[in-house]
Amino acid sequence: MTAVLFDYPKNAAFGRVLPKSKIYEHGSVSSAVRQLFVRQVEQIVWQHKLAPETVNLKASTAVPEIQVFSIALKGGELKTEVLRCIDQAISFPILFELRYDEKIMSIAAYKRPSESDSGKWVISEYFESGWVSSNTPRKPLPMVFDLGALYAHLLTPLMPHPARSGENLQARVERMELIRSRKREMEKCEVRLRKEKQFNRKVAINAELRDLKQELENLTRPLSVSGAAVAP
């Protein structure tokens, strides 16, 4: 995915360094994840706070605020375990901008309040853009009426497949996760097929692969509200 960098309003600037120790304080962080913070993260900056008082948009229960974090990396890699740890510590949706070697990558998970426990958040898998130059021109925030709609617009460029007509953000995220799951299943099937020696087992695995490919085609095909295929 090509990165889309947004130009956040000056009123929303927060600009506070977030010590790693503050993240550790919010929940049990394993020693393995702490080592990832040490090895991969140079600095975390709470860059922007998109809230009713900073961007003049109405909040909602699902999206009371949106935070933008800038993470300077020690190398060109950051495990998502680090991002999930931060997401679990901060009770707001977060958009991350990773920085390394004068390049930027946007990455975020879809984050929503749990229906069974109002004090917890459900965090999806992560969606990311490609790396772009830090000098890439930024786009103004979209014209919307509330923070929920803004959140959807911030996440949309990170999604690997286009939205379907009438598909809300949560449904789209769930479809993206299902696509990833089926792709992983296909990869495992292909490995099994290469290793399998018995002809009848190869036939069965090939049939399984065909079913998975058909399901993937159905999941990635753009649809209209009525379910008919539409042009991409």
Side-chain angles (χ1 to χ4, degrees):
M1 299 297 294
T2 302
V4 175
L5 303 178
F6 289 100
D7 186 14
Y8 300 103
K10 291 182 179 179
N11 287 347
F14 199 57
R16 294 186 186 177
V17 174
L18 183 64
K20 300 172 190 177
S21 59
K22 290 294 183 182
I23 300 296
Y24 304 156
E25 290 173 4
H26 292 78
S28 57
V29 181
S30 69
S31 58
V33 173
R34 289 189 186 219
Q35 284 302 309
L36 288 176
F37 271 93
V38 172
R39 292 199 307 266
Q40 298 183 333
V41 177
E42 185 68 48
Q43 186 182 64
I44 305 169
V45 178
W46 198 322
Q47 201 74 55
H48 293 90
K49 176 181 176 180
L50 309 179
E53 64 272 18
T54 63
V55 292
N56 197 30
L57 292 174
K58 184 179 178 182
S60 68
T61 302
V63 188
E65 293 181 7
I66 304 168
Q67 313 304 335
V68 181
F69 281 23
S70 175
I71 303 180
L73 304 182
K74 293 181 178 179
E77 180 186 19
L78 182 66
K79 295 291 187 181
T80 55
E81 289 90 337
V82 171
L83 300 178
R84 191 165 296 276
C85 185
I86 298 173
D87 262 319
Q88 290 170 341
I90 306 296
S91 296
F92 296 106
I94 305 174
L95 182 77
F96 297 96
E97 290 188 353
L98 309 185
R99 296 174 179 270
Y100 176 70
D101 194 26
E102 298 185 357
K103 294 182 179 180
I104 299 179
M105 172 191 286
S106 297
I107 182 169
Y110 171 53
K111 197 169 171 181
R112 61 178 176 81
S114 169
E115 295 176 1
S116 58
D117 187 342
S118 59
K120 294 183 178 180
W121 290 75
V122 178
I123 303 169
S124 76
E125 294 184 359
Y126 284 85
F127 303 100
E128 64 185 47
S129 70
W131 288 98
V132 296
S133 168
S134 57
N135 295 323
T136 299
R138 289 180 174 265
K139 295 185 177 182
L141 290 181
M143 299 294 291
V144 293
F145 296 103
D146 58 52
L147 288 172
L150 178 60
Y151 187 42
H153 276 83
L154 295 179
L155 288 180
T156 290
L158 304 179
M159 300 288 178
H161 300 281
R164 290 173 168 176
S165 180
E167 184 179 51
N168 64 25
L169 179 59
Q170 183 173 336
R172 185 179 180 190
V173 169
E174 290 172 352
R175 182 165 59 90
M176 298 301 110
E177 291 184 318
L178 189 55
I179 289 170
R180 285 187 178 181
S181 174
R182 294 299 180 264
K183 285 183 176 179
R184 288 192 290 265
E185 289 181 37
M186 278 187 61
E187 290 170 359
K188 291 178 181 178
C189 267
E190 288 166 350
V191 170
R192 284 164 48 209
L193 183 62
R194 288 195 295 270
K195 293 181 177 180
E196 185 57 59
K197 303 300 183 183
Q198 295 184 22
F199 177 75
N200 61 331
R201 288 296 302 146
K202 282 180 175 288
V203 171
I205 295 172
N206 267 316
E208 190 176 344
L209 268 174
R210 284 195 300 272
D211 289 343
L212 285 169
K213 288 178 181 178
Q214 183 60 58
E215 186 176 1
L216 266 175
E217 184 179 337
N218 293 337
L219 286 167
T220 56
R221 182 190 299 121
L223 301 178
S224 67
V225 176
S226 63
V230 296

